Amino acid sequence: MSDEGLSEVFAFAQTQIMSRSIRACTFLDKGGTGKTTTAAHLGVALAERGKDVLLVDLAGKQGDLVKHFGRWAAVEDQIAAEDDWPNISTVFQDQWDAIAEKLGEAAVEDLILDTEEGVDLIPAHPGLDSLDAELGNVDDAQDRYSRFDAFLDEYIEPLGYDAILIDLPGLTNNVSYNGLWAARNVIVPVEMGPFESEQAEALRADLDKIATNFDVDVDLAMVLPNKVDSRTKLAEEYLDAFAEAYPDAVAPAHVPVSQDIRNAADRGQTAFALDEPSTTAERAREAFLENADALLERLDAEPAAPVGGERA
Ligand SMILES: Nc1ncnc2c1ncn2[C@@H]1O[C@H](COP(=O)(O)OP(=O)(O)OP(=O)(O)O)[C@@H](O)[C@H]1O
Ligand SMILES: [Mg+2]
């Protein structure tokens, strides 16, 4: 065999052994439980552990995730200047492959921003607004729900990220289904309350439905108690209840309620960027780091456990 032929064989073999990114999305069919906060903080925690991380905001045009990293103004400027194409909504379109071929590597590079906290990020875009309806017009269900997965496989995996975290809207629609399908692993931030445990139960049933209808398993990778006020007795009871209901999926560390997290977000930072974190912010950081380690351990342990049952 010629040298050239050999190097082609080696290149091919390399792509076969190059490990895929771990993927997860933050999701619960409810607003405000901490999906975006969790995606941002787990992302930075993974980066602190030396991982190359890409965050993707599919959660809607308000751009909450990019706001966490102080890059929203730049994104808004681009949108105002109509210098916002292609964007995250473009990659779902029928013409995406043709667009990507025409633009070459820049097509994907232009989608990705870097941040000061060591993670890369694909921001949201107003085009996400009409995306649910547009996907609804795609006749074939497999095609309708797997477009984002196909995009990650073909265009993002070659970039070699260790982890891809996707932030989803707090409702079940064609966009969140695309996120769940692409990630195959879901992280569910829950607040302490009976309503949340019902939502998490409904999610488990939903994941079962996806598995049966479309022949893909989406694993409940982590149920993450958030905004826990450990001074209250009730919070303790809910923590126990979640631990009992999800013995293998529950996160090893809960995240305390911390005004610092809220303030940092308003300033375009995560709690990791604070020079003088409060006690609660410090505890939140430690919790996210511990949960990031658990996530790596759980997602590296292939194959994933089937939905419905508990994690292996
Ligand atoms: N541990 C925490 N301590 C204090 N505030 C928090 C904590 N986690 C999240 N928050 C705050 O709660 C609000 C909702 O959080 P976040 O935006 O992450 O929720 P979400 O589930 O993404 O909401 P949505 O459904 O609107 O996308 C934000 O103001 C956020 O700063
Ligand atoms: Mg959100």
Side-chain angles (χ1 to χ4, degrees):
M1 193 184 286
S2 71
D3 281 358
E4 208 171 296
L6 257 184
S7 67
E8 260 173 42
V9 170
F10 278 129
F12 176 74
Q14 195 132 35
T15 61
Q16 298 302 296
I17 43 179
M18 210 174 69
S19 65
R20 234 174 75 116
S21 323
I22 63 162
R23 298 183 189 176
C25 60
T26 51
F27 181 66
L28 182 66
D29 193 333
K30 177 169 192 289
T33 67
K35 295 178 292 297
T36 304
T37 305
T38 299
H41 285 77
L42 274 182
V44 176
L46 288 169
E48 298 256 320
R49 294 299 198 229
K51 303 294 177 192
D52 276 331
V53 179
L54 178 69
L55 302 179
V56 186
D57 189 350
L58 291 184
K61 66 170 176 193
Q62 70 282 2
D64 287 342
L65 190 58
V66 73
K67 281 180 192 161
H68 262 92
F69 296 96
R71 299 294 309 268
W72 181 236
V75 174
E76 273 190 317
D77 286 349
Q78 270 193 340
I79 293 168
E82 294 184 18
D83 178 23
D84 57 348
W85 185 92
N87 58 65
I88 186 63
S89 69
T90 320
V91 312
F92 287 83
Q93 290 166 1
D94 291 338
Q95 307 87 335
W96 168 252
D97 283 324
I99 293 167
E101 191 172 341
K102 186 143 175 282
L103 298 179
E105 279 178 9
V108 178
E109 279 166 14
D110 282 357
L111 297 174
I112 302 175
L113 296 176
D114 56 2
T115 73
E116 286 179 1
E117 296 198 45
V119 296
D120 286 353
L121 191 151
I122 301 185
H125 184 272
L128 287 172
D129 256 11
S130 49
L131 185 57
D132 175 45
E134 283 159 28
L135 288 169
N137 291 330
V138 177
D139 287 333
D140 178 62
Q142 170 103 13
D143 183 18
R144 186 186 318 134
Y145 300 131
S146 65
R147 290 198 172 195
F148 194 61
D149 187 43
F151 166 72
L152 292 184
D153 282 350
E154 190 156 347
Y155 297 95
I156 298 296
E157 288 295 347
L159 304 181
Y161 285 101
D162 298 313
I164 301 171
L165 296 185
I166 307 162
D167 187 30
L168 295 182
L171 53 106
T172 304
N173 66 15
N174 294 318
V175 178
S176 42
Y177 270 138
N178 263 271
L180 288 161
W181 183 301
R184 305 288 163 101
N185 295 289
V186 52
I187 300 164
V188 183
V190 288
E191 291 176 77
M192 299 297 92
F195 186 64
E196 267 66 20
S197 72
E198 275 166 32
Q199 293 288 334
E201 213 46 67
L203 175 77
R204 181 130 68 182
D206 225 24
L207 299 185
D208 264 336
K209 205 171 70 193
I210 299 177
T212 332
N213 290 352
F214 306 116
D215 202 23
V216 293
D217 283 347
V218 181
D219 189 30
L220 189 52
M222 188 172 277
V223 172
L224 174 44
N226 183 30
K227 304 190 199 179
V228 177
D229 183 351
S230 45
R231 291 167 306 185
T232 70
K233 182 113 183 63
L234 206 54
E236 228 168 87
E237 281 171 22
Y238 285 128
L239 276 179
D240 288 346
F242 275 114
E244 203 173 302
Y246 303 94
D248 299 307
V250 77
H254 65 256
V255 176
V257 65
S258 167
Q259 187 59 37
D260 250 13
I261 288 191
R262 211 179 283 266
N263 296 343
D266 289 344
R267 280 200 309 273
Q269 295 179 318
T270 73
F272 287 98
L274 300 172
D275 287 332
E276 292 177 4
S278 59
T279 313
T280 53
E282 183 59 49
R283 275 179 32 226
R285 294 204 306 210
E286 281 162 15
F288 280 116
L289 284 166
E290 196 177 336
N291 293 335
D293 290 338
L295 192 69
L296 286 172
E297 210 171 281
R298 291 177 188 186
L299 300 199
D300 271 349
E302 296 289 332
V307 283
E310 300 301 335
R311 288 195 50 88

PDB file of all heavy atoms in Angstrom, residues 35-36 59 62 64 167-168, ligand 2:
ATOM      1  N   LYS A  35     -32.731  25.512  35.161  1.00  0.00           N
ATOM      2  CA  LYS A  35     -32.143  24.815  34.011  1.00  0.00           C
ATOM      3  C   LYS A  35     -30.936  25.577  33.459  1.00  0.00           C
ATOM      4  O   LYS A  35     -29.863  25.007  33.234  1.00  0.00           O
ATOM      5  CB  LYS A  35     -33.190  24.645  32.893  1.00  0.00           C
ATOM      6  CG  LYS A  35     -34.351  23.748  33.274  1.00  0.00           C
ATOM      7  CD  LYS A  35     -35.382  23.649  32.175  1.00  0.00           C
ATOM      8  CE  LYS A  35     -36.136  24.946  31.934  1.00  0.00           C
ATOM      9  NZ  LYS A  35     -36.945  25.385  33.095  1.00  0.00           N
ATOM     10  N   THR A  36     -31.135  26.877  33.253  1.00  0.00           N
ATOM     11  CA  THR A  36     -30.062  27.673  32.656  1.00  0.00           C
ATOM     12  C   THR A  36     -28.898  27.855  33.629  1.00  0.00           C
ATOM     13  O   THR A  36     -27.724  27.729  33.250  1.00  0.00           O
ATOM     14  CB  THR A  36     -30.619  29.045  32.219  1.00  0.00           C
ATOM     15  OG1 THR A  36     -31.725  28.807  31.321  1.00  0.00           O
ATOM     16  CG2 THR A  36     -29.571  29.868  31.502  1.00  0.00           C
ATOM     17  N   ALA A  59     -32.894  27.469  24.508  1.00  0.00           N
ATOM     18  CA  ALA A  59     -33.986  27.755  25.439  1.00  0.00           C
ATOM     19  C   ALA A  59     -34.837  28.955  25.044  1.00  0.00           C
ATOM     20  O   ALA A  59     -35.824  29.235  25.709  1.00  0.00           O
ATOM     21  CB  ALA A  59     -33.435  27.938  26.852  1.00  0.00           C
ATOM     22  N   GLN A  62     -34.639  34.906  24.499  1.00  0.00           N
ATOM     23  CA  GLN A  62     -34.199  35.853  25.539  1.00  0.00           C
ATOM     24  C   GLN A  62     -32.732  35.657  25.897  1.00  0.00           C
ATOM     25  O   GLN A  62     -32.144  36.478  26.603  1.00  0.00           O
ATOM     26  CB  GLN A  62     -35.102  35.785  26.767  1.00  0.00           C
ATOM     27  CG  GLN A  62     -35.006  34.519  27.603  1.00  0.00           C
ATOM     28  CD  GLN A  62     -35.748  33.327  27.000  1.00  0.00           C
ATOM     29  OE1 GLN A  62     -36.321  33.421  25.920  1.00  0.00           O
ATOM     30  NE2 GLN A  62     -35.715  32.203  27.675  1.00  0.00           N
ATOM     31  N   ASP A  64     -30.883  33.668  27.842  1.00  0.00           N
ATOM     32  CA  ASP A  64     -30.485  33.599  29.251  1.00  0.00           C
ATOM     33  C   ASP A  64     -29.095  33.005  29.456  1.00  0.00           C
ATOM     34  O   ASP A  64     -28.347  33.449  30.326  1.00  0.00           O
ATOM     35  CB  ASP A  64     -31.494  32.771  30.059  1.00  0.00           C
ATOM     36  CG  ASP A  64     -32.800  33.517  30.277  1.00  0.00           C
ATOM     37  OD1 ASP A  64     -32.788  34.755  30.122  1.00  0.00           O
ATOM     38  OD2 ASP A  64     -33.804  32.871  30.598  1.00  0.00           O
ATOM     39  N   ASP A 167     -29.025  23.736  26.868  1.00  0.00           N
ATOM     40  CA  ASP A 167     -30.056  24.319  27.725  1.00  0.00           C
ATOM     41  C   ASP A 167     -31.374  24.365  26.954  1.00  0.00           C
ATOM     42  O   ASP A 167     -31.429  24.885  25.836  1.00  0.00           O
ATOM     43  CB  ASP A 167     -29.632  25.742  28.141  1.00  0.00           C
ATOM     44  CG  ASP A 167     -30.582  26.337  29.167  1.00  0.00           C
ATOM     45  OD1 ASP A 167     -31.170  25.563  29.954  1.00  0.00           O
ATOM     46  OD2 ASP A 167     -30.730  27.573  29.193  1.00  0.00           O
ATOM     47  N   LEU A 168     -32.426  23.803  27.544  1.00  0.00           N
ATOM     48  CA  LEU A 168     -33.709  23.690  26.842  1.00  0.00           C
ATOM     49  C   LEU A 168     -34.779  24.573  27.481  1.00  0.00           C
ATOM     50  O   LEU A 168     -34.667  24.956  28.641  1.00  0.00           O
ATOM     51  CB  LEU A 168     -34.166  22.228  26.855  1.00  0.00           C
ATOM     52  CG  LEU A 168     -33.269  21.265  26.081  1.00  0.00           C
ATOM     53  CD1 LEU A 168     -33.845  19.854  26.112  1.00  0.00           C
ATOM     54  CD2 LEU A 168     -33.086  21.721  24.644  1.00  0.00           C
TER      55      LEU A 168
HETATM   56 MG    MG B   2     -33.746  28.916  31.286  1.00  0.00          MG
END
